Amino acid sequence: MVERQKQIGRDRVSRLVSWGHWFAFINGLLAIIVGYRYLDTIGLPDTFIGWGYLVISTIGHFSFLAFMVYLVLIFPITLLLPYSKILRGYAALVATLSLCLLLYDTVIYDDYGLHLSPFVFDLAWADLNALLRGTSYIITPMAILAIELTLANFLWKRVEKIRKRNIGNKVVAVVGICFVASHLIHIWGDAAEVTEITHFDDAYPLSYPATAKSLMESYGIEGTQNRKDQTPPKTSLKYPLAKMQCMADTQPNILIIAVDSLRADLIDASTMPFLASYAKDNMNFTQHLSGGNQFNSGIFSLLYGLQGSYADAVDLHFQSPVLTQELTSQGYQLALFSTQDTLAIPQGIFNDFERIDAEHTDSFAHSDLQSVANWQQWSKAATKPWFSLLNLKSPESYDTPIGFLGIKTVKAATELKPAQKVLFNQYRQSLNFVDKQLEQVISTLPSETLVVITGVNGKVFTSNSNEASVNLSPASIHVPMIIHWPNETSGKQVNYRTTHNGLVPAIMTQTLGCTNPASDYSSDQSLMQPSDKSWVYVGDHRIFAIYQESEITVIDRHGKYRIYDNDYRKRLKKKLSAPELIEVMREGRRLYVH
């Protein structure tokens, strides 16, 4: 008798487990239906490869999520309380909450471009009224609960018939194959840079597709496709928002000198005497911020005029900046002078430039000398109005040429560790070398040339690249912005805060005669006037900071955030400033087509 009761108990648990598996599978299908809203946000693929990957990855991902919910929240209750009525009601409630959470995530993703995290939840809670419109937030959960209860009871009555058909193993095999195949295809797509596959990397919540580019390359398996050679995917970014209306009265030559790792606080008479004097004689923006602390985010904001969250937009791998497009249409000759193998994201950023690269061996200082010589030769031979970008890299690696006679060491204005003191003075030597190159370039230019001298990003004194990559302090963001406008010789110190994003609108309106509002093609207005925003976005989509009047909020890709004071020293124990951060998130989605 006891043995029979144990057998009955085991049969009941077995039936409940079988029912739970099918309940999880069908909820995976329901999750796919809800998850279709993500595709409304990012757009559907146009190719067979894109559709094939999307179908198998969607089936594999949402089935996996549904099974994880079952395994963590429902399966243990099956063993503890093996009673069908209790389990069916509980499972229906769990499934309803899960689908509602997924549905809420689709709303947030459509509005902010981010999935739920502690940071995003705080933000969305403050913006709840705008996100949840009407009464659907009440009706929808009730409708889902009714569907789940009906589904739970329907499956329970038919679970034995389903078990007898022996199709469970086939379903598991299909789902398993989809899950594994989607990751294998993504490994290939990532290595071959197939944007129709990688376009969906961040589309679904808790999605971490496998990548193995370095492993494949170590075995000699290289991507055969290049983004420039591929057909652009369906456009999801409208950049610019309207057709550009531009008509210039004159066509001055334009030179932008962008120096890697150029801090604003060291543009002084002892370190960079020429640039310090040049700043006094021209327009000097003393509170200028780069778009990021790395080359990619800094140069992106400088040329596109957009905040760094747009840098990973697939469309921009095929679309050059509006600035260079307009310069090309107005007949300018464009050239980029940098070091060999200088790459930037997105890949379309330099498409309009003729690249004249300096060879890089073991010294960026030697490469900079060659870049300056290349620029001088090219500018003398130019037969049309020209726009050139001269990128100097020495300060990034504290480099000076062999035999360079530098300047005497000084004590830093702030407290530094012993190792930092060495880097500080070596950095000053590099800046002094760059200063002499700037003098050589500028002294040969006619006054009617528009000249912009700025830093791509700032510099923190560390030899640890990982530490530098996550440091978004003013030292790594505050850079000089010095502009010589043609035929204007009087110096002007501008003390309101400006950003790299404001340079493109300034050139477009002041020089190229564009009448479009800056919001059509930029995340900021012209730096010739104070911004009406109370915040500045710096960084990329992985880690970024929001600079406000009295605090700096740093947020990583997982939604963890820390709030610092203006000196980036004291961590403040306070909540996020929701209104400004909501504006930041909305700006990061403003140019996407919905």
Side-chain angles (χ1 to χ4, degrees), residues 10 66 76 95-96 116 122 182 187 208 257 310 395 402 497 504 508 528 555 580:
R10 285 194 292 267
T96 298
L116 273 176
D122 281 350
S182 67
I187 290 173
Y208 304 99
I257 304 178
Y310 286 106
I402 295 174
R497 187 167 61 187
V504 169
M508 298 286 276
M528 300 302 289
I555 306 161
E580 287 81 5

Short mmCIF file of all heavy atoms in Angstrom, two decimals, residues 10 66 76 95-96 116 122 182 187 208 257 310 395 402 497 504 508 528 555 580:
data_model
loop_
_atom_site.label_atom_id
_atom_site.label_comp_id
_atom_site.label_asym_id
_atom_site.label_seq_id
_atom_site.Cartn_x
_atom_site.Cartn_y
_atom_site.Cartn_z
N ARG A 10 4.64 9.73 -7.41
CA ARG A 10 5.61 9.95 -8.49
C ARG A 10 4.92 10.21 -9.82
O ARG A 10 5.37 11.05 -10.60
CB ARG A 10 6.54 8.73 -8.59
CG ARG A 10 7.58 8.67 -7.48
CD ARG A 10 8.66 7.66 -7.81
NE ARG A 10 8.13 6.29 -7.81
CZ ARG A 10 8.16 5.48 -6.75
NH1 ARG A 10 8.69 5.91 -5.60
NH2 ARG A 10 7.68 4.26 -6.82
N ALA A 66 11.61 31.36 -21.39
CA ALA A 66 10.42 30.75 -20.78
C ALA A 66 10.81 29.53 -19.93
O ALA A 66 10.27 29.33 -18.83
CB ALA A 66 9.43 30.34 -21.87
N PRO A 76 10.47 24.19 -8.73
CA PRO A 76 10.60 23.89 -7.29
C PRO A 76 9.25 23.74 -6.58
O PRO A 76 9.11 22.91 -5.68
CB PRO A 76 11.38 25.09 -6.75
CG PRO A 76 12.11 25.64 -7.94
CD PRO A 76 11.17 25.43 -9.08
N ALA A 95 3.38 33.36 -15.06
CA ALA A 95 3.45 33.61 -16.50
C ALA A 95 2.88 34.98 -16.85
O ALA A 95 3.41 35.69 -17.72
CB ALA A 95 2.70 32.52 -17.25
N THR A 96 1.80 35.36 -16.16
CA THR A 96 1.19 36.67 -16.41
C THR A 96 2.16 37.80 -16.05
O THR A 96 2.36 38.74 -16.81
CB THR A 96 -0.11 36.82 -15.60
OG1 THR A 96 -1.03 35.82 -16.02
CG2 THR A 96 -0.72 38.20 -15.81
N LEU A 116 15.17 46.82 -19.41
CA LEU A 116 15.00 47.04 -17.97
C LEU A 116 16.27 46.70 -17.20
O LEU A 116 16.93 45.70 -17.46
CB LEU A 116 13.85 46.18 -17.46
CG LEU A 116 12.44 46.79 -17.55
CD1 LEU A 116 11.40 45.78 -17.09
CD2 LEU A 116 12.34 48.06 -16.70
N ASP A 122 14.27 52.83 -12.40
CA ASP A 122 14.13 54.10 -11.67
C ASP A 122 13.69 55.22 -12.61
O ASP A 122 12.83 56.04 -12.29
CB ASP A 122 15.45 54.49 -11.01
CG ASP A 122 15.70 53.71 -9.72
OD1 ASP A 122 14.77 53.03 -9.26
OD2 ASP A 122 16.82 53.79 -9.20
N SER A 182 21.63 29.58 -33.58
CA SER A 182 21.63 31.04 -33.58
C SER A 182 22.95 31.59 -33.06
O SER A 182 23.48 32.57 -33.59
CB SER A 182 20.47 31.58 -32.73
OG SER A 182 20.64 31.27 -31.36
N ILE A 187 28.37 33.85 -34.31
CA ILE A 187 29.83 33.83 -34.29
C ILE A 187 30.36 34.14 -35.68
O ILE A 187 31.26 34.98 -35.85
CB ILE A 187 30.34 32.45 -33.80
CG1 ILE A 187 30.04 32.27 -32.31
CG2 ILE A 187 31.84 32.30 -34.07
CD1 ILE A 187 30.36 30.88 -31.79
N TYR A 208 22.66 37.59 -25.03
CA TYR A 208 24.12 37.70 -25.08
C TYR A 208 24.63 36.72 -26.13
O TYR A 208 25.17 35.65 -25.80
CB TYR A 208 24.74 37.40 -23.71
CG TYR A 208 24.22 38.28 -22.61
CD1 TYR A 208 23.23 37.83 -21.74
CD2 TYR A 208 24.67 39.59 -22.45
CE1 TYR A 208 22.72 38.64 -20.73
CE2 TYR A 208 24.18 40.41 -21.44
CZ TYR A 208 23.21 39.93 -20.59
OH TYR A 208 22.71 40.74 -19.60
N ILE A 257 42.24 70.70 -36.54
CA ILE A 257 43.35 69.96 -35.94
C ILE A 257 42.83 69.32 -34.66
O ILE A 257 42.49 70.02 -33.69
CB ILE A 257 44.55 70.88 -35.63
CG1 ILE A 257 45.00 71.61 -36.89
CG2 ILE A 257 45.70 70.06 -35.05
CD1 ILE A 257 46.15 72.58 -36.65
N TYR A 310 24.44 57.13 -30.35
CA TYR A 310 24.13 56.84 -31.75
C TYR A 310 25.29 56.15 -32.47
O TYR A 310 25.13 55.71 -33.61
CB TYR A 310 23.81 58.14 -32.50
CG TYR A 310 22.45 58.72 -32.20
CD1 TYR A 310 22.32 59.85 -31.40
CD2 TYR A 310 21.29 58.17 -32.73
CE1 TYR A 310 21.09 60.41 -31.13
CE2 TYR A 310 20.04 58.71 -32.46
CZ TYR A 310 19.95 59.83 -31.66
OH TYR A 310 18.71 60.37 -31.38
N PRO A 395 50.34 62.80 -27.72
CA PRO A 395 50.04 62.85 -26.27
C PRO A 395 49.39 61.59 -25.73
O PRO A 395 49.49 61.32 -24.52
CB PRO A 395 49.11 64.07 -26.15
CG PRO A 395 49.43 64.91 -27.34
CD PRO A 395 49.75 63.95 -28.43
N ILE A 402 62.88 61.19 -30.91
CA ILE A 402 64.22 61.01 -30.36
C ILE A 402 65.02 62.30 -30.57
O ILE A 402 65.01 62.89 -31.65
CB ILE A 402 64.93 59.82 -31.04
CG1 ILE A 402 64.19 58.52 -30.69
CG2 ILE A 402 66.40 59.74 -30.61
CD1 ILE A 402 64.72 57.31 -31.42
N ARG A 497 29.29 76.68 -21.05
CA ARG A 497 29.67 75.30 -21.38
C ARG A 497 29.30 74.97 -22.82
O ARG A 497 28.19 75.24 -23.27
CB ARG A 497 28.99 74.32 -20.43
CG ARG A 497 29.48 72.89 -20.58
CD ARG A 497 29.02 72.02 -19.43
NE ARG A 497 27.57 71.94 -19.34
CZ ARG A 497 26.92 71.34 -18.34
NH1 ARG A 497 27.59 70.82 -17.34
NH2 ARG A 497 25.60 71.32 -18.33
N VAL A 504 29.64 71.08 -35.33
CA VAL A 504 29.02 70.88 -36.65
C VAL A 504 27.96 71.94 -36.93
O VAL A 504 27.97 72.56 -38.00
CB VAL A 504 28.44 69.45 -36.77
CG1 VAL A 504 27.57 69.32 -38.02
CG2 VAL A 504 29.57 68.43 -36.82
N MET A 508 28.14 74.54 -40.04
CA MET A 508 27.05 74.45 -41.02
C MET A 508 26.33 75.78 -41.19
O MET A 508 25.99 76.18 -42.31
CB MET A 508 26.04 73.37 -40.60
CG MET A 508 26.62 71.97 -40.53
SD MET A 508 26.91 71.20 -42.12
CE MET A 508 25.29 70.54 -42.49
N MET A 528 28.14 78.65 -30.78
CA MET A 528 28.22 80.10 -30.78
C MET A 528 27.19 80.73 -29.86
O MET A 528 27.18 81.95 -29.67
CB MET A 528 28.03 80.63 -32.20
CG MET A 528 29.07 80.12 -33.19
SD MET A 528 30.75 80.53 -32.69
CE MET A 528 30.74 82.30 -32.98
N ILE A 555 27.02 55.98 -15.73
CA ILE A 555 26.12 54.83 -15.87
C ILE A 555 26.78 53.82 -16.80
O ILE A 555 27.24 54.18 -17.89
CB ILE A 555 24.76 55.26 -16.45
CG1 ILE A 555 24.16 56.39 -15.60
CG2 ILE A 555 23.81 54.09 -16.54
CD1 ILE A 555 23.09 57.18 -16.29
N GLU A 580 16.10 65.14 -16.12
CA GLU A 580 17.20 65.31 -17.07
C GLU A 580 17.54 64.00 -17.75
O GLU A 580 17.80 63.96 -18.95
CB GLU A 580 18.44 65.87 -16.36
CG GLU A 580 18.35 67.33 -15.98
CD GLU A 580 17.57 67.55 -14.68
OE1 GLU A 580 17.19 66.54 -14.04
OE2 GLU A 580 17.36 68.71 -14.31
#
